[in-house]
Amino acid sequence: MRSRYSAPEDTPASLTYDPARALFVSSRPGAAPIAAADLAVTVLRSEASRAGPGEIRFLADGGSTGGAIRLDRGAGARLLSVSSLTGRVTERVTEAEAPR
């Protein structure tokens, strides 16, 4: 099963977070950078990943280097997990803990 986020057949692609510019940059031709200036961003790579810092690669066979991207903003966060086996991206939304 191919992810809708994976690269077209035989075309690997990568998504890299550049913390100095607070931008996500795609290797796909013509893809515009995505601003993340108002977010706290953490990119976690899988232990076996050969991707560079802040990078998740989507491979031509539908897999990926795997990892996760955590986007925090004030009252909540989103965790985007990328399967290394299928390249599938899943999303989990969390809310900040209420003050006690």
Side-chain angles (χ1 to χ4, degrees):
M1 172 188 209
R2 293 187 57 84
S3 165
R4 67 182 182 147
Y5 299 102
S6 60
E9 199 65 39
D10 297 327
T11 307
S14 66
L15 180 67
T16 305
Y17 180 65
D18 179 350
R21 298 186 305 158
L23 290 175
F24 282 97
V25 180
S26 172
S27 66
R28 292 184 340 194
I34 301 167
D38 58 341
L39 301 170
V41 176
T42 306
V43 179
L44 307 167
R45 298 179 300 157
S46 69
E47 290 183 23
S49 176
R50 291 186 168 175
E55 176 184 35
I56 296 177
R57 294 181 190 162
F58 294 88
L59 309 173
D61 67 0
S64 76
T65 56
I69 300 171
R70 183 177 170 95
L71 307 169
D72 286 287
R73 183 185 334 177
R78 290 184 189 269
L79 180 65
L80 305 171
S81 298
V82 183
S83 167
S84 59
L85 184 61
T86 64
R88 183 170 187 236
V89 178
T90 57
E91 176 183 27
R92 187 177 62 172
V93 178
T94 61
E95 294 181 27
E97 234 180 74
R100 295 181 186 188

